[in-house]
Amino acid sequence: QKEVEQDPGPLSVPEGAIVSLNCTYSNSAFQYFMWYRQYSRKGPELLMYTYSSGNKEDGRFTAQVDKSSKYISLFIRDSQPSDSATYLCASSYSGAGSYQLTFGKGTKLSVIP
Amino acid sequence: DTAVSQTPKYLVTQMGNDKSIKCEQNLGHDTMYWYKQDSKKFLKIMFSYNNKELIINETVPNRFSPKSPDKAHLNLHINSLELGDSAVYFCASRGTEQFFGPGTRLTVL
């Protein structure tokens, strides 16, 4: 079992829809959770960064971590065509093991005008 | 100012050649990485350096050799290039958060 699992999609939604992107992880020692957005032929860009359980909101984006079920989510409200990209979740340990991020395989999202 | 920069952006070369990719970060971070992203978009870590010291060395052929002349630079040298080395290579650096460079698209013919 891979340490971070992510449905690769593709996911296609109409403009204005609420998008839910999800990952599960198997390593209970993971403490940091991130979402990256990657446009075609570009590098991954950090979207959201959370530590431990709970919600974090930034504009139209909300990151949610449920450590009891080892579930990571990213919600996008009022989705726009410019949100079309691949979204990667990532997790890492804290402390000495925090050097290495473990990535999911990414979910490709298309927002149709 | 670009936080993490890589050169070249594109690299097309013949099998058997040796090539290098350079990476520089101006974020003052201690930790830098090389990742390989294959055609299916999976990001796989190759190496990590912390303060010029190698701390992560995943199962990567020894044809790949990273070099960190100082904290702000981490270069990747690849010997005897093979077809399977074709991929996008990303450099990254990390403080509290991790930032990626724009990538180097390597094509081996």
Side-chain angles (χ1 to χ4, degrees), chain A residues 48-58 61-66 73 75:
Chain A
M48 302 284 285
Y49 175 90
T50 58
Y51 174 72
S52 199
S53 280
N55 290 0
K56 185 175 181 179
E57 192 171 318
D58 184 2
F61 298 89
T62 300
Q64 191 175 78
V65 176
D66 182 346
S73 300
F75 299 97

Side-chain angles (χ1 to χ4, degrees), chain A residues 3 6 25-26 33 42 47 53 57-58 68 72 87 97:
Chain A
E3 288 198 292
Q6 185 175 8
Y25 64 95
S26 57
F33 305 94
K42 300 285 186 186
L47 262 184
S53 280
E57 192 171 318
D58 184 2
S68 62
I72 314 163
Y87 290 79

Side-chain angles (χ1 to χ4, degrees), chain A residues 2 32 34 36 38-46 49 56 86 88 92-93 98-101 103-106, chain B residues 9-10 31 33 35 37 40-43 45 48 50 55-56 58 90 94 96-103 105:
Chain A
K2 293 196 185 302
Y32 294 97
M34 284 131 273
Y36 284 84
Q38 186 175 19
Y39 291 116
S40 182
R41 295 187 170 258
K42 300 285 186 186
E45 166 196 10
L46 182 64
Y49 175 90
K56 185 175 181 179
T86 296
L88 300 133
S92 77
Y93 306 108
S98 66
Y99 296 120
Q100 184 168 347
L101 289 184
F103 281 89
K105 288 195 169 185
Chain B
K9 191 170 180 180
Y10 298 98
T31 308
Y33 305 83
Y35 286 85
Q37 189 172 47
K40 293 183 180 177
K41 295 286 192 180
F42 182 54
L43 261 177
I45 192 166
S48 176
N50 183 270
I55 53 169
I56 293 172
E58 292 294 309
F90 288 102
R94 186 170 180 190
T96 306
E97 300 169 356
Q98 184 164 317
F99 297 93
F100 284 82
R105 185 170 292 271

Side-chain angles (χ1 to χ4, degrees), chain A residues 67-82:
Chain A
K67 290 192 75 183
S68 62
S69 57
K70 298 192 182 70
Y71 208 76
I72 314 163
S73 300
L74 178 71
F75 299 97
I76 307 173
R77 290 185 298 281
D78 187 25
S79 55
Q80 303 294 309
S82 59

Side-chain angles (χ1 to χ4, degrees), chain B residues 9 27 57 63 68 71:
Chain B
K9 191 170 180 180
L27 298 165
N57 185 356
R63 299 181 294 104
S68 181
K71 241 175 51 166

Side-chain angles (χ1 to χ4, degrees), chain B residues 50-68:
Chain B
N50 183 270
N51 220 356
K52 300 197 307 174
E53 284 191 33
L54 181 66
I55 53 169
I56 293 172
N57 185 356
E58 292 294 309
T59 309
V60 175
N62 58 14
R63 299 181 294 104
F64 290 79
S65 53
K67 282 192 171 50
S68 181

